[in-house]
Amino acid sequence: DAGITQSPRHKVTETGTPVTLRCHQTENHRYMYWYRQDPGHGLRLIHYSYGVKDTDKGEVSDGYSVSRSKTEDFLLTLESATSSQTSVYFCATTGESTDTQYFGPGTRLTVL
Amino acid sequence: GQQVMQIPQYQHVQEGEDFTTYCNSSTTLSNIQWYKQRPGGHPVFLIQLVKSGEVKKQKRLTFQFGEAKKNSSLHITATQTTDVGTYFCAGGDYKLSFGAGTTVTVRA
C-alpha cells in the first residue's frame, strides 16, 4: 500500500459537533480523495484534490468541506455532524502516471 | 454523470464452484479497474483493463472488458475461502465511479 494513514481510526461524536478527519500520505501523490462507504452504496466520492489548495466536489459533498495545505495531508471536515454521516470514511491517492487508487485503512465514524 | 452498476449485489458460492460478477456503465469507459475489499479492510487494486475486448487473468481470476467498453466481468474459478470479500469495479480516469460491489461469501 502507498503509505497512507488515516486518523482517527474510530470516532464517536454527537450530532451538531464539528469533526475533522485526517489523511496523510508519504508517496507525494498529486491526487487525493475522500470517500464514504455505506452498505448497498459502495464507495461514494465526497471531495477530491488535484493539488495543494486545489479541491473539487464529488457526488455527496453536502455537509462536508476539505482542505489541502500540503501535498501529504488532506483534511475532511464535517461542520456539524448529523446521524446520516455515520459511515466508514476512506481516503485514497493516485499519482500522475496512473489511475490506480491506493486506499487508507479507513475511519469508522459514529454520530449519535 | 457516469454511473456504474454491478450485479449481483451478493454471491453465495460453494467452495470449488465458479461464479461471475458483472459491471455495466451508462457511458463508454476509458478503462475499468477492479478492487477487492476483505471484510474489515480497505479496497485493494486488482487490475486495470484499457482495450476493447481485453481479457486478463490472475491465477483463478479472469477479467474481461466489453467490446463497446461499457461493461466488464470478473470470473472466479474453483472458489476458495480466500476469495471472500467485496469486489468493486470502477470506471474513469483520475476520478473513478465505483459500482456498489458484489459481496462474496463461501460455503466450505
Side-chain angles (χ1 to χ4, degrees), chain A residues 1 17-19 22 26 34-37 42 45 49 51 54-55 57 59 61 69 75 80 86 89 95 99 107:
Chain A
D1 292 329
T17 59
V19 176
R22 180 180 182 242
T26 59
W34 277 108
Y35 294 92
R36 60 177 291 173
Q37 185 173 37
L45 182 64
S49 169
D54 291 324
T55 65
K57 296 179 180 180
E59 61 179 300
S61 58
S69 58
L75 303 180
S80 177
T86 292
Y89 291 85
D99 299 324
T107 294

Side-chain angles (χ1 to χ4, degrees), chain B residues 71-96:
Chain B
N71 58 76
S72 180
S73 64
L74 161 58
H75 181 78
I76 299 182
T77 59
T79 303
Q80 299 177 0
T81 55
T82 54
D83 296 323
V84 164
T86 301
Y87 294 83
F88 294 99
C89 62
D93 34 60
Y94 69 91
K95 194 169 113 178
L96 295 176

Side-chain angles (χ1 to χ4, degrees), chain A residues 1 31 33 35 37 39-43 45 48 50 57-58 90 94 98-106, chain B residues 9-10 30-31 33 35 37 40-45 48 86 88 92-101:
Chain A
D1 292 329
Y31 297 93
Y33 309 83
Y35 294 92
Q37 185 173 37
H41 290 278
L43 293 155
L45 182 64
Y48 66 100
Y50 46 95
K57 296 179 180 180
F90 286 101
T94 190
T98 178
D99 299 324
T100 301
Q101 293 195 8
Y102 300 92
F103 285 81
Chain B
Q9 185 175 359
Y10 298 99
S30 58
N31 70 90
Q33 299 180 35
Y35 292 76
Q37 183 178 22
H42 58 276
V44 175
F45 173 77
Q48 181 181 38
T86 301
F88 294 99
D93 34 60
Y94 69 91
K95 194 169 113 178
L96 295 176
S97 291
F98 282 83

Side-chain angles (χ1 to χ4, degrees), chain A residues 64-77:
Chain A
Y64 302 94
S65 63
V66 290
S67 66
R68 192 170 178 199
S69 58
K70 298 185 290 185
T71 298
E72 56 267 36
D73 290 325
F74 193 32
L75 303 180
L76 176 70
T77 297

